[in-house]
Amino acid sequence: MNKIHPVIVLCMRVVLGIVFLVASYQKILDPQQFAREISNYHFIPLGLENVVAIILPWIEVFIGLGLILGIMIDGSSLISGVLLIMFNLLVIQAMIRGFNIECGCGLKEGQMVGWQKLMENMTLLITSYIIFNQKNRSFQLSPKTSLSE
Amino acid sequence: MITIPVFIGIIINIIKPKSLPWVAEPILLIKNQNDLSAILSEPEIREIGLSVAFNLHNDGTLFVDAREEEYIKEGFITGAIYDDDIEVLAAKIDTLVGLDRPFVIYCSDDDCGSSEDLAYNLQDWGFMNILVFKGGWKMWTESGYQVQENE
């Protein structure tokens, strides 16, 4: 991959980090609402949507802080990418099954699943990929070397 | 990277006053209309099927449409009320049936979820006896029951 200026990558990290922090805020405040939104996808069995609603927002907080503060950038961008792939699969299965449901992403109230959500997630996924691949980084607190070095 | 947030999420859920149960419990399905007549000591949200919804509608029970306005334009269950503003909607329901009497909330179909969301929001406003008709608009219209055109 072509090298991108470290300042641009830093901006991408901050933007992606803020997205994750904002997304986690409402979910942490009202996990019951988030659990219902997960349940609307009819994907997670045995009532385990509550466990996801309890844990996932805190993972998003750590991804957000990690990306912004430059802590474990490789891990943060990798996990954000994995989460975004999972979110997209959930959205796709909901679209295929014809569900007219709110996405439950915590960013825009009332946003429904659909192509727009899919495109937003894809943009964030590409951003995660770029951050993970660009090893020449500015403002990195810990660790100082990336996983591949 | 994963362990710490998982640990924090679990600890916070344990220590906070209104913790979320680890496993979600489905809403209780009411099959017999007579089960609805009991006065509730605790606020409850319960699910009803088509036949109970139809009987309640015939008995004049209030119906609340939880769908987005663009869908309500196509029509709604006769007599149902709706409003995007939860405060206005809660005031309307309170005026029409009060806090204790049952009313029915529905949305598009089995999978829409907005009827449940609205039910929980209205429960926070003090409504004690909320019924969710899961089949919603789709099941109602497919059964050929009475609907109202939007003007």
Side-chain angles (χ1 to χ4, degrees), chain B residues 57-145:
Chain B
H57 189 256
N58 284 345
D59 293 345
T61 302
L62 177 68
F63 274 56
V64 177
D65 197 319
R67 294 174 299 158
E68 296 286 320
E69 200 176 346
E70 59 187 284
Y71 298 102
I72 295 173
K73 279 179 187 162
E74 297 167 12
F76 51 91
I77 293 178
T78 304
I81 62 167
Y82 53 88
D83 205 300
D84 281 346
D85 187 330
I86 184 79
E87 199 172 339
V88 175
L89 184 63
K92 278 185 190 172
I93 299 169
D94 192 16
T95 307
L96 290 167
V97 298
L99 293 175
D100 295 327
R101 281 171 58 198
F103 61 91
V104 177
I105 304 178
Y106 69 93
C107 54
S108 303
D109 51 38
D110 263 342
D111 305 313
C112 58
S114 47
S115 51
E116 259 180 67
D117 291 342
L118 181 60
Y120 281 101
N121 286 336
L122 286 171
Q123 194 177 48
D124 292 341
W125 284 79
F127 293 100
M128 294 285 290
N129 199 342
I130 303 175
L131 305 170
V132 174
F133 169 36
K134 288 283 268 189
W137 174 252
K138 189 176 177 213
M139 191 181 277
W140 188 269
T141 49
E142 280 177 357
S143 305
Y145 293 153

Side-chain angles (χ1 to χ4, degrees), chain A residues 82-118:
Chain A
V82 171
L83 284 181
L84 287 160
I85 290 169
M86 279 164 41
F87 295 160
N88 263 353
L89 290 175
L90 278 176
V91 171
I92 289 167
Q93 68 89 27
M95 287 168 70
I96 291 171
R97 293 165 77 184
F99 295 168
N100 177 34
I101 55 173
E102 286 188 24
C103 69
C105 11
L107 294 171
K108 275 185 270 179
E109 198 178 335
Q111 188 179 19
M112 310 300 277
V113 294
W115 288 106
Q116 189 189 341
K117 188 68 236 166
L118 214 52

Side-chain angles (χ1 to χ4, degrees), chain A residues 16 21 38 42 46 61-62 70 80 83 92 115 125 132 149:
Chain A
L16 188 62
L21 288 178
I38 298 168
H42 299 280
L46 308 169
V61 167
F62 270 67
S80 80
L83 284 181
I92 289 167
W115 288 106
L125 180 59
F132 183 77
E149 287 175 44

